[in-house]
Amino acid sequence: MSNGVAAGLHPFTWAIWLGAAVVVISLTRNPFYLLLLLFGLALTAEQVRPPGRLTPLDPIAFAALAVAFGGVFNALTTHYGDTILFALPAQWPLFGGPITAEALVYGITNGLVLGGLVAAFAVFGAALPVGALLSLTPRAFYPLAVVITIAVTYVPLTLRHARQVREAQRLRGHQMRTWRDTLPLLLPLLIGGLERALQLAEALAARGFAADPPPPYTRALLAGGLAAIFGGLLLRFGWGLGGWGLTLIGVGAALVVAALGFAGRVVPRTHYHQHAWHWRDALALCGAAVALAAMVLPWAPRVSIFFTPYPALQLPVFEPVLALALLGLLVPVALERRHYDSN
């Protein structure tokens, strides 16, 4: 029997890990480090994905597409660099001019950055189920988060229902010849979607979902806080009163936080599985901290981070110590567990 305590990493650990991964990937333009992070994060996404859950987007396939498109597009639109591969007619708008290897490499590098970011979010989405994602939402936004989650989960349900309808129509001898033949497929799909929506609405209404409005003074606090933040920005950047501006911004931020806190008190929330902090969370955060420190600390070996192929193409510098520090983002590969502890 399950004791109701999830044995995987804590949702907040994954949230902090995702922030560190995004910062690390965004700070470097070295293709060697980006390739290392891309393949490592793709391995992590496959490792933490629960059995049977489909991956909506393959990070490696997306990175290959982003690299190809980014390299070609940047080479065709940025005619700068010393290594000219060939030249297009100058009278061609936008694409006319010399095609350089530097522009091609710069576009490929940007594609690797985009692929690495998608891989990091793929790890985050594969590791956390819907319930764990909801636990990261502040209580004031919990009803909105539930609605968005339901809308997102309806996409795979609709696709699954469409396949079932298609198989049932095939058994009845239905064949697709023209667009008019889609009516026997769309009508059952629409009726099934409406039935699921009505059942879900009745279930939410029976449980009193979003029945208690927030206290009336929360709107006043929120409006006052936003007005104070706006006034502080005007004082700081409009009239040059930095001290008064920062003070007013701080007061406004405190009012906004207080309004969200009061609004969240009327939102009851229970958890079926309680997520507890464990030594694995500490190790995962330490690994992310090592990778982040290697990028931001001034005494870290980060000479090779700031790579640019312009004006003349050259081989990027590869530092093994920095590459080893970046592997700290892959600590969840050895720590993530896909089951629940038993009594």
Side-chain angles (χ1 to χ4, degrees), residues 152-172:
V152 171
T153 54
Y154 256 60
V155 175
L157 289 176
T158 303
L159 295 177
R160 189 182 310 164
H161 189 207
R163 288 194 297 267
Q164 294 174 355
V165 172
R166 178 58 179 159
E167 293 174 358
Q169 295 292 5
R170 282 181 179 178
L171 293 177
R172 295 182 176 92

Side-chain angles (χ1 to χ4, degrees), residues 50-147:
R53 181 187 296 181
L54 298 178
T55 303
L57 184 64
D58 185 9
I60 299 299
F62 178 84
L65 181 63
V67 165
F69 179 80
V72 172
F73 183 80
N74 194 70
L76 291 175
T77 56
T78 306
H79 310 286
Y80 179 70
D82 295 341
T83 309
I84 299 177
L85 301 177
F86 58 92
L88 296 177
Q91 61 270 21
W92 288 9
L94 185 62
F95 298 145
I99 305 300
T100 64
E102 289 79 9
L104 179 65
V105 172
Y106 189 79
I108 290 175
T109 303
N110 290 333
L112 289 175
V113 172
L114 184 58
L117 293 175
V118 170
F121 279 95
V123 173
F124 184 75
L128 293 182
V130 176
L133 289 175
L134 286 177
S135 66
L136 297 175
T137 308
R139 294 182 63 180
F141 301 107
Y142 192 67
L144 178 61
V146 171
V147 173

Side-chain angles (χ1 to χ4, degrees), residues 187-222:
L187 190 58
L189 185 63
L190 178 60
I191 294 175
L194 291 177
E195 290 179 353
R196 292 197 304 272
L198 291 175
Q199 292 174 359
L200 181 60
E202 292 175 355
L204 291 176
R207 290 168 173 82
F209 177 73
D212 297 327
Y217 54 83
T218 56
R219 296 181 180 180
L221 288 176
L222 184 61

